[in-house]
Amino acid sequence: MASSGEFQVPIDGWFMGRVKSYQPGTGYGFIECEETYRYFRRDVYLSRHQLEQLDIRTVPMGTDILFRVVVPDGKPQACDLAFPGAGKGPRTDVEPTMKQCEHGLNGFKNCLQTLAMSLELHGLSDESFKALREADAALRCVQCRRDERTEGSKILLLLEQAKEKWGDKDNLCHHALRNGLAQRLSAPPVRPVEMPISRLRFTQNTHSKRFLHGPHAGKRIEWLTEQLLTGSVALDDPSMVLHVVYYHGHYRSLNNRHLTAIVKYAEEMEMRKLLPRQCRVRVWPLVRGLRMEFDDGSEQDVIRKFLRASDTSSDGASIECKQRAGWQTSVNQEVKVSRRPDGRSNCHGWVTFQQPQHAESLLQLAGDLALLRGRELKLRWDNVSVAMQPKGSVWVRCKSCHGRCSPLLDVLLLEGERLRKDMVPAGKFDNAPTFFCVGREASLCEFCDVISPHPDAAEMSFKLSLIRCKTCHQDLGNIQKASRMQGNVQELLGERVVHFKCASVLLELSDRRDLLLEVRKWQYLAQATGRESIYRLAQLTLQEAIDILGLSLNSKVSARNTSRHARIIPNKFGDREGL
């Protein structure tokens, strides 16, 4: 631990200070804290990279801040930030935020993986013992440590037992530790377990009235409750299995609408003086990279879905139904066309789809639909409104010349891990999750050149072809093997998929086709999509991206209309390409 003078800094502890200054333009500032000043005789450096981890762009001067300290060059720097709110003095009882718990659990998972690999390769060696001690000290949050001792694999308890009996090579606790590591780092058994309904909590403040996905899509929660009461749907039905995590002393459901229906069923059964049956759950460990599969074929990271989607103010004890103005059509229902007072059609309506193929088929026929009479066709996809022009699609465009690359309807934004070179060992490769923009090979326009084989195919065999713009020869990306990517990309798009480079393409979105969106990294665009595992970019509107990415939009788009992550630029072609 770095020191100043004769003092040693307890960097494992939390410090409370106040933001002394922060400049968004330069990307750094300073925190004043009496305790750290006694050690270093200077303020603590605050970096914008730490704020970005909390999706924060700036902080006002005087804001209370909870932080840890690292000293890479003898100078204190803040990390693991939290903002407990305004206060008159330092607080020492503030628990880490969910964001900090996510970082802690991710680091804990990495230490457990290292320990499991060391035990497999070296057995009960000194190297394995070092990995065991690092794993035991990796998790800082008191409540997370309590979770890991009392529930699931009880991995912290197993670590302590193995540490005490390390010299006894034949002790059964070492075998139990290996089994516990395998359980802690892998998906739960497919067969669910029974759990009392009263033990489950919600992960959100509100829920919608209808199910949006799965076998009950389009049905109201009250309908499912009635089906449970009449026995038409049983709690042990596969469609009623709940995905659950254990976090800070409670089991929390990731299926809020299904749990709402089950809770209402249990309340009605108790009113009838009857005993409700137990529900079926799969308890998932909070492991980065562990992915849940849903009924519609999509996937999502467990820890990302829970920790970043959780917004309950009652700690999951209650949930309310969203109140929305107007009406919505339901998934798989008939198209409803609004009518004038005299009964004539207004020639517009809402259509809802569950499968992308259905929407694509309608778009191909959109120009021949007499009902539209040349008006704008609006599609609602999984409850997200998308405006599409009947005369053509919106596009992925070349950054240099704004030429077309691919229709945006065929392009997905998905999360995965960056593929490495064939000769690079996995242990020396940064496999941090990132986001990709991919599409079908068949969707590439005639304005793109496909060069085969890829110049880097010898080092990276997953790269099949190089894609360039015919007009300006810009490197747009590559065609690669979907089987090497995470998730069900191959099933969605085929074996050969187009991987667009973020630095080479622009997005033309449906609501403002005279403007183009440029982003520095796909992960910034993922913020505008709600960080879904698989997201069809045709759903995104420019106004949504502007609101979430922090952009401003005037009648005149200037070069200053930019943030550090994204900017808006005029479309050179606009609506002139036969649209």
Side-chain angles (χ1 to χ4, degrees):
M1 178 63 221
S3 62
S4 176
E6 59 182 349
F7 297 101
Q8 293 291 325
V9 182
I11 61 168
D12 289 341
W14 292 89
F15 298 94
M16 176 63 74
R18 292 193 178 189
V19 176
K20 183 176 182 180
S21 65
Y22 183 77
Q23 298 294 331
T26 58
Y28 69 89
F30 293 94
I31 300 172
E32 55 182 357
C33 173
E34 294 182 3
E35 189 174 0
T36 56
Y37 192 84
R38 290 200 303 267
Y39 296 116
F40 297 102
R41 299 300 177 187
R42 64 173 66 234
D43 294 322
V44 180
Y45 178 81
L46 174 62
S47 169
R48 69 183 176 196
H49 300 297
Q50 295 296 327
L51 293 176
E52 288 172 356
Q53 291 181 1
L54 301 177
D55 296 330
I56 297 175
R57 295 181 178 85
T58 185
V59 289
M61 183 176 63
T63 302
D64 286 354
I65 185 170
L66 183 71
F67 62 97
R68 292 184 188 273
V69 173
V70 293
V71 194
D73 301 316
K75 299 178 181 179
Q77 297 185 18
C79 66
D80 296 339
L81 308 180
F83 294 90
K88 295 184 179 180
R91 292 172 53 192
T92 59
D93 60 338
V94 180
E95 288 293 333
T97 64
M98 297 186 79
K99 182 71 177 180
Q100 292 165 335
C101 286
E102 179 181 1
H103 289 306
L105 288 167
N106 290 341
F108 185 55
K109 166 245 183 178
N110 293 335
C111 290
L112 293 180
Q113 283 184 328
T114 302
L115 174 59
M117 185 179 300
S118 180
L119 289 172
E120 182 69 25
L121 297 176
H122 309 294
L124 301 178
S125 63
D126 292 340
E127 184 176 350
S128 299
F129 188 69
K130 179 182 178 182
L132 184 146
R133 288 189 300 177
E134 291 177 353
D136 185 42
L139 203 56
R140 305 293 187 184
C141 174
V142 175
Q143 294 192 55
C144 287
R145 291 189 65 87
R146 188 182 300 119
D147 293 346
E148 299 292 346
R149 286 180 57 87
T150 59
E151 296 295 331
S153 63
K154 301 182 180 179
I155 191 66
L156 280 182
L157 194 61
L158 295 175
L159 291 176
E160 294 172 3
Q161 293 174 353
K163 186 163 55 174
E164 294 177 0
K165 303 294 183 179
W166 194 258
D168 184 2
K169 306 298 183 183
D170 298 326
N171 197 290
L172 293 178
C173 68
H174 302 306
H175 179 70
L177 175 61
R178 288 184 170 89
N179 292 337
L181 288 170
Q183 180 184 345
R184 178 61 176 78
L185 297 172
S186 58
V190 176
R191 186 173 181 178
V193 297
E194 291 187 348
M195 182 172 291
I197 300 172
S198 58
R199 296 194 65 185
L200 294 173
R201 294 203 174 195
F202 301 99
T203 54
Q204 295 176 344
N205 283 320
T206 60
H207 64 78
S208 57
K209 296 180 180 180
R210 299 179 183 271
F211 295 96
L212 305 181
H213 312 284
H216 304 139
K219 303 295 186 182
R220 297 176 68 93
I221 291 177
E222 292 79 5
W223 172 88
L224 182 56
T225 302
E226 186 63 28
Q227 296 293 306
L228 292 172
L229 290 170
T230 59
S232 300
V233 176
L235 277 178
D236 57 1
D237 188 89
S239 64
M240 297 303 298
V241 175
L242 302 178
H243 296 289
V244 171
V245 298
Y246 190 82
Y247 177 75
H248 285 194
H250 298 286
Y251 288 99
R252 304 172 190 269
S253 171
L254 303 181
N255 310 95
N256 288 280
R257 285 182 289 268
H258 278 87
L259 180 56
T260 300
I262 292 173
V263 169
K264 290 185 176 183
Y265 150 79
E267 291 174 349
E268 181 64 26
M269 292 290 286
E270 291 175 357
M271 291 179 61
R272 298 179 184 182
K273 307 298 183 182
L274 298 174
L275 184 66
R277 299 185 61 185
Q278 294 188 343
C279 58
R280 267 58 173 180
V281 302
R282 292 183 69 191
V283 184
W284 291 79
L286 289 170
V287 176
R288 178 70 173 178
L290 200 60
R291 308 183 76 84
M292 296 183 298
E293 292 186 4
F294 297 97
D295 297 323
D296 58 358
S298 62
E299 296 180 342
Q300 197 159 17
D301 187 283
V302 175
I303 196 169
R304 180 182 293 275
K305 177 173 176 59
F306 169 64
L307 289 179
R308 296 200 175 175
S310 181
D311 60 355
T312 176
S313 57
S314 63
D315 197 27
S318 62
I319 194 170
E320 296 180 356
C321 182
K322 295 178 182 177
Q323 299 297 324
R324 295 183 177 178
W327 59 271
Q328 305 176 44
T329 56
S330 305
V331 177
N332 289 338
Q333 297 293 317
E334 294 181 356
V335 178
K336 295 185 178 180
V337 180
S338 11
R339 299 277 172 179
R340 298 174 183 172
D342 59 2
R344 291 184 299 156
S345 170
N346 261 335
C347 299
H348 70 271
W350 285 105
V351 187
T352 306
F353 297 95
Q354 220 180 3
Q355 298 297 326
Q357 295 79 6
H358 300 164
E360 293 172 356
S361 301
L362 182 58
L363 282 178
Q364 293 172 0
L365 299 173
D368 300 327
L369 291 178
L371 176 67
L372 297 174
R373 299 180 184 176
R375 298 197 181 192
E376 183 180 64
L377 174 65
K378 294 182 178 180
L379 304 182
R380 174 167 292 167
W381 198 321
D382 287 348
N383 223 25
V384 179
S385 298
V386 183
M388 302 293 292
Q389 297 290 340
K391 294 182 179 179
S393 299
V394 286
W395 302 89
V396 179
R397 292 186 177 272
C398 172
K399 187 174 182 179
S400 297
C401 66
H402 291 197
R404 294 173 176 175
C405 303
S406 171
L408 199 62
L409 186 67
D410 290 325
V411 176
L412 305 177
L413 186 68
L414 54 89
E415 185 181 9
E417 292 187 355
R418 187 164 53 93
L419 300 177
R420 67 178 188 274
K421 296 181 179 180
D422 295 341
M423 302 304 295
V424 176
K428 296 184 178 181
F429 183 77
D430 179 15
N431 59 350
T434 184
F435 285 87
F436 303 103
C437 182
V438 299
R440 293 190 180 93
E441 180 184 19
S443 68
L444 285 175
C445 299
E446 64 273 14
F447 305 109
C448 297
D449 277 329
V450 179
I451 302 172
S452 299
H454 195 286
D456 299 331
E459 296 181 344
M460 291 173 279
S461 58
F462 59 89
K463 292 187 176 182
L464 304 175
S465 304
L466 179 67
I467 306 170
R468 286 180 179 170
C469 177
K470 277 188 176 180
T471 305
C472 64
H473 306 294
Q474 169 87 359
D475 182 1
L476 302 174
N478 58 272
I479 297 175
Q480 63 185 37
K481 295 180 180 179
S483 57
R484 292 283 297 275
M485 304 177 70
Q486 291 182 334
N488 58 341
V489 182
Q490 184 177 5
E491 179 183 345
L492 292 172
L493 302 176
E495 172 59 15
R496 295 169 62 92
V497 299
V498 178
H499 175 247
F500 290 108
K501 287 186 176 180
C502 190
S504 303
V505 297
L506 305 168
L507 299 180
E508 174 188 325
L509 301 177
S510 56
D511 55 333
R512 288 296 300 270
R513 306 182 70 183
D514 58 322
L515 303 176
L516 299 175
L517 177 65
E518 175 189 348
V519 293
R520 279 193 165 186
K521 291 184 178 180
W522 294 125
Q523 69 185 63
Y524 299 140
L525 185 60
Q527 298 174 6
T529 68
R531 299 175 183 264
E532 294 184 18
S533 176
I534 298 180
Y535 185 88
R536 189 170 293 268
L537 283 177
Q539 296 178 217
L540 183 66
T541 63
L542 189 62
Q543 188 59 53
E544 291 172 341
I546 288 171
D547 293 341
I548 299 180
L549 294 175
L551 301 174
S552 60
L553 184 59
N554 306 322
S555 57
K556 295 182 179 180
V557 179
S558 65
R560 291 180 298 175
N561 190 1
T562 179
S563 72
R564 207 177 67 83
H565 305 320
R567 67 172 181 154
I568 303 168
I569 60 177
N571 187 350
K572 295 179 182 178
F573 295 98
D575 295 334
R576 292 179 292 151
E577 294 181 319
L579 301 177

